[in-house]
Amino acid sequence: MTVAHAPRRPERAAALERIRSIVGAKGWIDDARDMERYVTEERAMFRGRAAAVVRPASTEEVAKVVAVCAEHRIPLVPQGGNTGLCGGSVPFESGDEIVLSMGRMNRVRSIDPLNYTIEVEAGCILADIQRAAADADRLFPLSLAAEGTCQIGGNLSTNAGGTGVLRYGNARDLVLGLEVVLPDGRVLDWLSRLRKDNTGYDLRHLFCGAEGTLGIITAAVLKLFPMPRDQRTALIALPNIEACVPLLSKARAATGDAVTAFEYIHRICLDFVFRHTPGTSDPLTERHTHYVLMELTTTAAGDTALGERFEKLMEQAMEDGLVLDAAVAQNEAQSKQLWKLRESIPESQKPEGASIKHDVSVAVSRVPDFVEQATKLMEAAMPGVRVVAFGHVGDGNVHFNLNKPVGMEDEAFVARRHELNAIVHDLVAEMGGSFSAEHGIGRLKRDELVRYKSPVAVDVMRRIKAALDPDNIMNPGKVV
Ligand code: FAD
Ligand code: ZN
């Protein structure tokens, strides 16, 4: 990575000193060992170096730091919880960049239960926002396995998905207003609490999913929802993968659109979970190949209709041959136990050796077709490969992962990553899908962006980047 007109050494040292004085000792880390966790990504796929880690405590401090960076063309990498899966939050190896870590900006600024909104600083941990909303008897529906560590600024910057998308949308759908420090150090105050505002370009969405390349999100106004009062969670065995699409469609219609999650799970995922996750076991007596984890919720207290509708749905679906069997949670503890099966899949893949992952989407109605075709292509390309497919089928988003054939060396398997990626992503493109449904681009998928997006789309993205960040100091080398 190169940055135009990099500052000379003495000038740069003076600029870093100014930044240090802006954030004070509490906001400054330059010891190599202390910086380690900020320059390494979760899975250690990317390890970089940084000139320093800067931890500002307010929007004003962020703005001042960025202004100095702009003046001296010091590149910076915004960082939230550093749980991103595409290497967007870690610096490159040059050591020229500073990491701007948002963890100290973790205040809930205000909550307005009647407007169903909450205003938070970008460094708030997602789980803390969920709790703050719950304390006000409201739901903040964004939910993912990293929620105890990831921050809302990171969630918005990656337009995170998770398990609630089917009902509530992606992170970008949950935001009404943003406060952003632009690459020149100015603050864009767009902290709107309005649900209707048709006054020109909607700049919010520029920064959602931009992965820190257009500015630093410092605060956000988020949408809240009524708290769910009752739910039905079931692990449902299907006769084949095709059945999941009509089942979802019927479930939505028959329950007053109460389906809040609909997750496909192939049997191999459960085998891995039972083998490697203590405290899990098969809730069904017979072994099946295809499952969905379905959750219905209602916000109406004391509503018995949900349970009745659910039972009728299951009866009808069994009659129609869409469902073979189901384990239905009778209480919250059992529901959590079923969710644990789904949530333990990524972790339980690890002891099975090297994996190659695809986070793709196609139209919901084409998910079974995609999984079947992609599985055949993988088995042909590498006999014995273990296809570990699961995911948010209600959003058309499949985590189409591969584990190495039993007995194969990790290195030999990983060496074929690009070849296998290309086969899967070509198929996805043919089906009009996306090669990155929820984890973004970062550093990992930049080549794919150029390969699979239309040249016009890539050109528009580059022009927006150049317009806002002409000196390319804001997370350079990521996304575009
Ligand atoms: P980081 O990893 O710190 O940063 C991600 C990107 O956003 C980087 O490019 C960074 O520069 C930028 N960024 C961070 N904060 C800011 C800011 N304030 N302003 C501007 N740019 C910023 N993702 C999903 O979508 N769905 C899932 O279900 C899901 N499950 C996961 C499960 C696990 C166990 C793990 C480890 C990850 C999972 N992820 C998932 C990926 C990851 O958690 C999300 O991408 C999350 O939104 C990242 O948030 P973060 O705060 O960790 O951001
Ligand atoms: Zn996911």
Side-chain angles (χ1 to χ4, degrees):
M1 184 219 45
T2 53
V3 174
H5 319 296
R8 284 175 301 113
R9 291 237 152 251
E11 191 195 321
R12 191 181 144 85
L16 290 176
E17 199 43 52
R18 272 173 70 197
I19 292 174
R20 183 192 172 114
S21 68
I22 291 164
V23 292
K26 270 193 186 162
W28 180 267
I29 303 172
D30 60 4
D31 175 78
R33 224 172 352 150
D34 297 339
M35 285 199 288
E36 183 63 19
R37 72 186 182 91
Y38 298 94
V39 299
T40 317
E41 181 235 12
E42 246 250 341
R43 298 178 293 182
M45 265 172 85
F46 299 103
R47 160 176 266 116
R49 293 196 308 128
V53 174
V54 177
R55 305 180 71 235
S58 65
T59 302
E60 200 190 345
E61 284 186 13
V62 176
K64 284 183 179 165
V65 169
V66 175
V68 175
C69 289
E71 188 185 330
H72 297 278
R73 297 197 174 93
I74 297 173
L76 46 89
V77 182
Q79 190 177 93
N82 197 15
T83 68
L85 298 173
C86 293
S89 55
V90 288
F92 284 89
E93 293 74 17
S94 69
D96 291 336
E97 294 168 294
I98 62 170
V99 171
L100 199 124
S101 172
M102 296 297 290
R104 286 175 74 208
M105 290 187 60
N106 59 0
R107 266 186 331 127
V108 172
R109 287 183 179 168
S110 64
I111 184 159
D112 182 347
L114 293 180
N115 195 44
Y116 281 81
T117 50
I118 187 170
E119 182 177 327
V120 297
E121 290 183 340
C124 280
I125 305 273
L126 174 55
D128 291 340
I129 299 174
Q130 295 166 346
R131 263 191 294 275
D135 289 346
D137 195 27
R138 294 292 180 265
L139 173 75
F140 182 60
L142 188 65
S143 173
L144 40 138
E147 65 198 19
T149 314
C150 63
Q151 300 172 6
I152 192 66
N155 300 143
L156 295 173
S157 297
T158 57
N159 185 28
T163 47
V165 177
L166 179 59
R167 169 75 150 269
Y168 301 101
N170 291 292
R172 76 161 73 250
D173 301 307
L174 302 173
V175 59
L176 289 177
L178 282 184
E179 180 185 82
V180 183
V181 173
L182 299 174
D184 59 8
R186 284 182 300 165
V187 179
L188 173 70
D189 179 349
W190 194 286
L191 283 171
S192 163
R193 307 192 314 174
L194 306 176
R195 281 160 210 272
K196 284 192 163 181
D197 181 9
N198 264 339
T199 49
Y201 300 156
D202 195 338
L203 301 181
R204 280 176 297 179
H205 291 303
L206 260 188
F207 301 96
C208 292
E211 300 181 53
T213 59
L214 299 179
I216 295 164
I217 296 176
T218 49
V221 177
L222 306 166
K223 288 183 197 168
L224 301 177
F225 295 82
M227 217 38 180
R229 302 292 169 196
D230 194 9
Q231 70 190 47
R232 286 291 176 285
T233 315
L235 183 72
I236 301 169
L238 311 176
N240 48 52
I241 188 170
E242 283 77 16
C244 72
V245 174
L247 179 62
L248 170 61
S249 172
K250 279 186 204 269
R252 290 186 59 181
T255 62
D257 221 356
V259 184
T260 39
F262 198 83
E263 301 279 313
Y264 171 72
I265 304 174
H266 188 278
R267 176 70 202 195
I268 193 172
C269 307
L270 295 182
D271 287 338
F272 287 2
V273 169
F274 301 148
R275 202 177 297 159
H276 303 296
T277 309
T280 58
S281 60
D282 197 336
L284 293 170
T285 43
E286 269 181 62
R287 191 187 162 85
H288 303 276
T289 309
H290 305 281
Y291 301 83
V292 290
L293 181 69
M294 180 168 79
E295 185 169 87
L296 312 176
T297 57
T298 175
T299 59
D303 183 6
T304 54
L306 187 76
E308 287 159 19
R309 285 172 181 164
F310 174 74
E311 271 153 38
K312 225 185 243 166
L313 167 74
M314 293 312 283
E315 267 168 36
Q316 188 64 49
M318 282 194 185
E319 239 167 66
D320 295 346
L322 294 174
V323 166
L324 296 176
D325 200 1
V328 184
Q330 301 302 324
N331 51 45
E332 213 182 312
Q334 288 182 1
S335 162
K336 283 204 171 116
Q337 199 59 26
L338 292 181
W339 271 109
K340 185 173 177 180
L341 301 179
R342 164 65 184 85
E343 281 161 1
S344 307
I345 298 171
E347 263 321 292
S348 63
Q349 258 194 284
K350 288 181 187 166
E352 296 288 330
S355 60
I356 295 174
K357 303 191 169 182
H358 307 91
D359 160 37
V360 299
S361 65
V362 292
V364 174
S365 51
R366 302 208 65 187
V367 167
D369 194 16
F370 164 76
V371 173
E372 280 177 346
Q373 284 196 49
T375 302
K376 276 193 195 127
L377 290 170
M378 291 300 101
E379 285 166 351
M382 185 186 279
V385 71
R386 293 174 293 166
V387 171
V388 183
F390 61 95
H392 323 290
V393 57
D395 317 319
N397 176 196
V398 184
H399 294 304
F400 188 81
N401 296 347
L402 309 170
N403 268 93
K404 65 174 186 178
V406 176
M408 189 185 229
E409 291 297 326
D410 279 2
E411 293 72 32
F413 178 66
V414 174
R416 296 193 51 197
R417 178 161 70 99
H418 293 296
E419 175 202 339
L420 298 176
N421 284 167
I423 298 174
V424 173
H425 292 158
D426 284 352
L427 174 65
V428 168
E430 230 177 84
M431 298 178 84
S434 167
F435 64 88
S436 188
E438 62 173 11
H439 298 157
I441 304 295
R443 217 169 135 173
L444 191 63
K445 297 183 186 164
R446 277 182 320 176
D447 295 345
E448 274 92 347
L449 186 85
V450 175
R451 176 158 178 195
Y452 294 109
K453 277 270 178 209
S454 88
V456 178
V458 174
D459 180 57
V460 172
M461 287 187 200
R462 288 191 172 141
R463 280 167 193 258
I464 291 171
K465 169 73 174 167
L468 284 179
D469 185 18
D471 288 325
N472 195 25
I473 61 162
M474 198 55 80
N475 217 0
K478 314 285 170 55
V479 187
V480 283

